[in-house]
Amino acid sequence: MTRIATPLTELLGIDLPVVQAGMSWASSSSALPLAVSRAGGLGVVAAGPMRLPDLARTLDETAAGTDRPWAVNLPLYRAGADEVVELLLARRPPVLIASQGGPRRYLDRFHDVGTVCLHVVAGVEHARKAADAGVDGLVVVGAEAGGHPPPAMVATQVLVRAVVSAVPGVPVVASGGVADGAGLAAMLALGADGAQFGTRFLATEEATVHPGYKAAVVAAGVDSTRTVGRGLGTIRALDNDFTRRMTRLEEDGTELDVRRGAFASASLKDAALDGLVDTGKVEAGQSAGLVDAVLPAREVVDRIVAEYRRAVTRLPLPTEEPRPAPAGTAGTAGTAGA
């Protein structure tokens, strides 16, 4: 198997610095995480929307389905998070990716059972705090990301570079706007040690979302997403009736309670499970515009590797050779007026 070695791959024991984002409903089963881990990346089970019995079954299926490392993503704000933590401690996943909360709440207990802990951050200050708490690595989310972009809306390229500079020696996974091997090469060039791919893995055969959701991602352009929900927990989603309604309310200065009701009237589940892509929250990143087909997850990983090779091969290397003179200029000095 091809290997692209970085501090992240060494930390996690994976072959490729390719992390599949933990996406509610899309990877809230074993199918997608298993496919990505078997292909050499890090597959991630999304624990966010799952009931405990379903999560337990999925963890057991994933553990039994591969001898490669895999991860669980846990949003710490979810209802029943403490019970989920207890379940995960009993199952001892190889990797935990936690978000939406402080790492001190869980870190020592997972380290005690041998789990590697990555923490999701969206700013330099939070990155420093997580690093000081002792996390093993960081997932840094920039403004291009689908779902919940950072409040300050700092672009991935800028935020990753700032975090890498602020916490040297801590493995960093860049997330937001990355859909192919060229994007992976760009993130590694910035100093990250891997990249997280969310929207690209939404459009895979193994992602457990409605076919209409996948079709909407494939049809999207790079300018097809909108950020809505100001003051309510901003999300990035594909432009549809829901986002247009929220945008009108926000631009009109509608009071928060009215906007809260409109925001709560639609859900990610509506789009992901029921296929209501016109009225639901079709969360996706700007990189949807770089996705042109629904593919098997292994083929996506293989393409990322091939694209990465092409990207790094075409980069010009610095040289100490003198710059050649422009054509037709050699020997012309001193000939004016001849």
Side-chain angles (χ1 to χ4, degrees):
M1 181 177 288
T2 300
R3 297 191 69 239
I4 301 173
T6 73
L8 178 76
T9 64
E10 298 305 309
L11 171 68
L12 302 181
I14 57 180
D15 293 310
L16 303 169
V18 173
V19 178
Q20 165 244 310
M23 298 171 288
S24 293
W25 311 114
S27 65
S28 295
S29 72
S30 62
L32 180 56
L34 278 174
V36 174
S37 285
R38 289 168 178 165
L42 184 71
V44 183
V45 174
M50 301 181 74
R51 297 174 298 178
L52 287 180
D54 296 331
L55 177 58
R57 182 181 65 256
T58 298
L59 297 177
D60 292 342
E61 290 172 354
T62 307
T66 183
D67 60 357
R68 307 294 297 161
W70 50 276
V72 180
N73 170 244
L74 173 61
L76 295 168
Y77 70 85
R78 67 151 279 176
D82 291 338
E83 289 79 5
V84 175
V85 166
E86 295 301 325
L87 173 61
L88 295 181
L89 287 168
R91 291 304 195 279
R92 302 187 177 198
V95 182
L96 173 71
I97 302 177
S99 59
Q100 306 293 331
R104 295 185 190 278
R105 173 179 172 183
Y106 66 84
L107 199 57
D108 289 344
R109 300 177 71 194
F110 279 99
H111 278 164
D112 287 345
V113 300
T115 296
V116 176
C117 296
L118 308 182
H119 199 77
V120 179
V121 298
V124 173
E125 180 182 357
H126 288 158
R128 286 197 181 103
K129 289 181 178 179
D132 290 344
V135 299
D136 299 302
L138 299 168
V139 178
V140 179
V141 181
E144 300 94 325
H148 299 278
M153 299 300 287
V154 178
T156 303
Q157 179 174 337
V158 175
L159 185 57
V160 166
R161 191 67 192 141
V163 170
V164 166
S165 299
V167 289
V170 178
V172 166
V173 180
S175 180
V178 186
D180 56 22
L184 172 60
M187 293 304 108
L188 297 189
L190 291 172
D193 304 289
Q196 179 169 267
F197 297 76
T199 304
R200 173 59 270 191
F201 281 116
L202 275 174
T204 57
E205 294 177 359
E206 294 86 353
T208 47
V209 294
H210 194 279
Y213 198 121
K214 299 179 186 183
V217 169
V218 171
V222 294
D223 59 350
S224 295
T225 64
R226 301 290 180 268
T227 53
V228 295
R230 179 169 47 87
L232 301 167
T234 302
I235 65 167
R236 181 178 293 282
L238 295 184
D239 186 30
N240 64 2
D241 292 345
F242 162 72
T243 60
R244 287 190 286 272
R245 180 186 179 196
M246 288 302 306
T247 298
R248 286 194 299 271
L249 292 174
E250 291 171 0
E251 290 178 346
D252 291 345
T254 304
E255 62 185 39
L256 186 62
D257 285 344
V258 175
R259 290 193 286 115
R260 181 180 289 112
F263 194 71
S265 68
S267 71
L268 173 60
K269 183 179 179 182
D270 291 341
L273 291 191
D274 300 329
L276 302 179
V277 295
D278 291 328
T279 57
K281 293 173 178 172
V282 190
E283 296 182 10
Q286 290 180 338
S287 64
L290 302 176
V291 177
D292 58 7
V294 176
L295 301 170
R298 174 173 285 278
E299 184 172 343
V300 169
V301 176
D302 290 345
R303 285 191 176 196
I304 289 170
V305 172
E307 292 158 351
Y308 174 83
R309 283 175 169 155
R310 289 195 294 271
V312 298
T313 299
R314 69 179 298 274
L315 290 176
L317 296 175
T319 177
E320 301 300 327
E321 297 176 2
R323 185 177 181 180
T329 60
T332 60
T335 62

